[in-house]
Amino acid sequence: MEKRIGIIGAGTAGLQLGLYLQRHDVDVTIIADRGPDEIRSTGLTNTVAHHAVTLERERELGVDHWSTDDYGYFGHEYHVGGDDPLRFRGGYHAPSRAVDYRIYHAQLLEDYLERGGRVEQRQVRHDDIAEISSRFDLVVVSTGKGPFGQMFGRVAAECPYDTPQRALCVGVFNGVDQQDVRSVVWSAAPGAGELIEIPFLSFDGLQTALVFENHIGGELESLSRLSYDDDPKAFRSQVLDALRAHHPATAERVDPRSFDLARGSIDLLQGAVTPAVRRSSVLLDDGTLALSLGDVKSTVDPVLGQGGNMASHAAWVLGAEIVEQDIFDHRFVEQLERKRDDRVLAASRWTNFMLEALRTRPDEFGQVLQALHDSPSMADEFTDGFNFPERQWDRFATPERIAAWVGRHVDSASLPEPALVG
């Protein structure tokens, strides 16, 4: 049976799905609002890192263009502030890599086009819904822009928040020395927020992405509104002050003389994300099934870097189902959800748990942090779990699971009272 698949959106999910279907000789069209050159010229969209499980999919798709030997990183350095600060390290089973999405998405779109892929470059408007649905057997929506992205309602049971939980200030910076072993630095400061420092391949080579996850109402929330263009010197000064006061594991490698946004305000992103899980499908007026994919299905705060990896996973699972099945109906959706959602929902639940735990520091979470410091094997297991959020959620889903996980690595009788509470 010939299948005609329409994909709306050319982000990670839409592009990887398009490449997967193209590889399996499925008739696929990507509808995108920008071409490769326009993608490269936009402002910073995010600083997503792809973990080893995602890089393996990219190798299978033939789009692994950036060597992890040159651009990858190999684990996390953790700094947890408080009265008794903790520093420890965890390693991966295989490296991760962060490539500027303006480079990554443009390259994957070019790969798709060079292999004969069909792209319609246009803005999708409400009047286009009937025309688009009539041309395809299945419509996949991987961008929230436009009328299709607004069709998928929130799943209340999976949405504990209806407002953002962090105020974000994200930039690509020069003037931060890489560590001897390239690693993410993951820093948590009580009352202020988190910082994720990422070795980041951008337009001028390997640079540094700084992701400030500032607590709403905390002393660093103003970074999410601080203008660079109005006063670049004041911007740099305030960011440096924030690093020195709250994130010393990064501040100690900053050269104040060269510290700056790499290309000015085009390399700065500020705002906030409201976490949400949405319905998987809707039936369009003519009976065509529309599916949500990527951020349209699940929007997560970037504090754990799960969004792009979940988009890739979901695209891969959906691609396999499209290749294997001929009927796109409610049963197709059930089978898709069964194979996709353990990882996707676990990523959302684990991220939401961490947003709250990092803010409130309950006793059992303080014990986890102490155990991660005391047990290198547990720290490695936790760090590699960024590849496998379903395993992380197995560990964090209940206090009983947390206690069992800690107990497997550290004699609970020897644990001190949590040093990081309140």
Side-chain angles (χ1 to χ4, degrees):
M1 176 182 175
E2 184 177 349
K3 308 164 191 177
R4 302 165 303 158
I5 310 300
I7 301 172
I8 300 175
T12 297
L15 287 167
Q16 290 200 12
L17 176 61
L19 287 158
Y20 185 100
L21 296 177
Q22 184 183 60
R23 179 178 174 226
H24 289 84
D25 298 321
V26 175
D27 184 344
V28 58
T29 299
I30 293 177
I31 301 173
D33 62 355
R34 293 173 297 175
D37 290 341
E38 292 170 285
I39 293 171
R40 291 188 183 95
S41 66
T42 60
L44 184 68
T45 55
N46 55 46
T47 56
V48 169
H50 286 183
H51 300 306
V53 291
T54 302
L55 300 187
E56 182 58 35
R57 296 185 203 104
E58 293 170 5
R59 283 188 279 273
E60 292 207 32
L61 291 173
V63 295
D64 182 28
H65 299 290
W66 306 276
S67 165
T68 53
D69 290 341
D70 296 325
Y71 305 116
Y73 62 91
F74 305 94
H76 292 180
E77 298 282 347
Y78 300 93
H79 181 272
V80 183
D83 294 335
D84 296 302
L86 301 174
R87 293 185 76 157
F88 53 94
R89 175 178 175 79
Y92 292 132
H93 78 276
S96 298
R97 182 188 62 215
V99 178
D100 193 319
Y101 264 11
R102 294 168 292 187
I103 297 172
Y104 179 86
H105 288 159
Q107 180 62 61
L108 264 62
L109 186 54
E110 288 177 340
D111 291 335
Y112 172 80
L113 287 166
E114 288 169 3
R115 298 171 190 179
R118 187 186 305 114
V119 173
E120 297 177 9
Q121 188 175 336
R122 57 165 164 152
Q123 298 280 347
V124 175
R125 297 178 172 81
H126 191 274
D127 292 345
D128 299 324
I129 293 176
E131 178 265 329
I132 289 174
S133 66
S134 70
R135 294 166 46 207
F136 299 109
D137 301 302
L138 178 69
V139 176
V140 180
V141 183
S142 65
T143 175
K145 299 177 185 176
F148 280 96
Q150 311 306 312
M151 292 181 174
F152 304 91
R154 288 160 55 99
V155 179
E158 299 291 343
C159 297
Y161 306 121
D162 56 12
T163 59
Q165 298 302 295
R166 297 293 189 270
L168 303 176
C169 179
V170 182
V172 182
F173 286 87
N174 294 322
V176 184
D177 289 340
Q178 296 290 334
Q179 301 177 90
D180 292 339
V181 177
R182 286 195 303 271
S183 304
V184 156
V185 175
W186 200 95
S187 174
E194 299 78 45
L195 174 74
I196 304 95
E197 174 203 328
I198 308 168
F200 190 73
L201 178 61
S202 192
F203 292 96
D204 296 321
L206 193 61
Q207 297 171 286
T208 300
L210 297 180
V211 182
F212 285 91
E213 291 261 341
N214 305 304
H215 290 182
I216 305 296
E219 57 189 284
L220 297 187
E221 182 183 356
S222 61
L223 290 180
S224 68
R225 301 182 297 272
L226 183 63
S227 172
Y228 180 87
D229 289 334
D230 285 352
D231 191 338
K233 183 178 179 180
F235 178 91
R236 292 194 299 271
S237 177
Q238 192 162 331
V239 172
L240 272 171
D241 287 346
L243 291 173
R244 291 166 177 153
H246 298 288
H247 303 294
T250 294
E252 63 194 19
R253 287 176 289 103
V254 171
D255 178 0
R257 296 166 298 180
S258 58
F259 181 73
D260 200 355
L261 289 171
R263 299 188 302 153
S265 58
I266 197 171
D267 278 348
L268 177 66
L269 177 67
Q270 295 163 300
V273 173
T274 300
V277 174
R278 300 176 186 86
R279 293 169 55 196
S280 296
S281 65
V282 295
L283 276 180
L284 303 176
D285 288 344
D286 65 354
T288 301
L289 186 70
L291 290 177
S292 59
L293 182 66
D295 285 347
V296 180
K297 170 60 183 174
S298 178
T299 304
V300 293
D301 186 280
V303 69
L304 300 179
Q306 291 296 304
N309 296 279
M310 293 309 96
S312 172
H313 166 75
W316 196 267
V317 174
L318 175 56
E321 290 302 295
I322 290 172
V323 169
E324 292 173 7
Q325 300 200 42
D326 294 329
I327 306 299
F328 304 122
D329 58 6
H330 70 281
R331 178 59 176 156
F332 175 85
V333 176
E334 288 177 347
Q335 292 171 324
L336 172 68
E337 289 178 332
R338 176 169 51 82
K339 296 176 181 179
R340 177 197 64 189
D341 280 3
D342 186 38
R343 180 166 292 187
V344 170
L345 294 181
S348 175
R349 293 167 183 172
W350 175 44
T351 300
N352 289 337
F353 168 87
M354 291 291 282
L355 287 170
E356 180 68 10
L358 287 162
R359 185 180 64 81
T360 61
R361 302 288 181 92
D363 288 0
E364 62 270 20
F365 189 66
Q367 289 186 343
V368 169
L369 296 174
Q370 186 67 54
L372 288 168
H373 172 271
D374 294 344
S375 171
S377 64
M378 185 175 172
D380 286 345
E381 190 173 270
F382 173 73
T383 302
D384 202 50
F386 280 72
N387 285 276
F388 308 105
E390 69 278 15
R391 299 179 189 176
Q392 300 287 60
W393 190 233
D394 286 346
R395 298 163 185 148
F396 283 102
T398 64
E400 293 77 14
R401 286 177 175 270
I402 292 172
W405 180 41
V406 170
R408 284 196 295 272
H409 290 275
V410 180
D411 179 2
S412 59
S414 69
L415 281 175
E417 288 298 313
L420 301 170
V421 177

